[in-house]
Amino acid sequence: MCRNIRTLHNFEPAANDDEIRAAALQYVRKISGSTKPSKANEETFWRAVDEIAHITGHLLDDLVTNAPPKDREVEAIKAKERSAKRFAS
């Protein structure tokens, strides 16, 4: 489940709300141990996703770095190259 959580800090363009929410959803899924909550836990599950996404947005806004922002496309190419090497047969 958590393999889908990606680094969101120090990218240009900055992470958008959808990316932040997707990371929060993956986090809550991992912590709760379920990909889909039961009816009894549905409200609590989605409230946690909303709250974690909100706090994550604040975290990303407040983090400071001196490093230049990374380019998403360049990082995606690097990740594909690493994956190709790792899973080459």
Side-chain angles (χ1 to χ4, degrees):
M1 276 188 254
C2 278
R3 285 180 280 163
N4 294 330
I5 297 178
R6 304 285 184 235
T7 301
L8 299 177
H9 175 59
N10 199 29
F11 277 97
E12 191 60 44
N16 62 39
D17 291 340
D18 290 338
E19 292 170 308
I20 292 170
R21 184 162 177 81
L25 175 59
Q26 290 299 318
Y27 177 79
V28 173
R29 285 177 170 171
K30 181 68 171 187
I31 296 301
S32 68
S34 68
T35 57
K36 184 177 179 197
S38 66
K39 287 287 185 190
N41 293 320
E42 191 170 27
E43 182 180 337
T44 301
F45 184 93
W46 293 113
R47 184 175 58 243
V49 171
D50 291 341
E51 290 176 6
I52 290 168
H54 179 78
I55 295 300
T56 301
H58 285 296
L59 172 66
L60 293 173
D61 289 343
D62 294 345
L63 288 173
V64 177
T65 184
N66 292 327
K70 297 177 228 165
D71 183 287
R72 289 176 182 274
E73 292 178 16
V74 170
E75 294 301 315
I77 291 168
K78 288 180 188 178
K80 286 180 184 177
E81 289 171 355
R82 285 190 305 267
S83 179
K85 286 181 185 177
R86 181 177 179 194
F87 298 109
S89 44

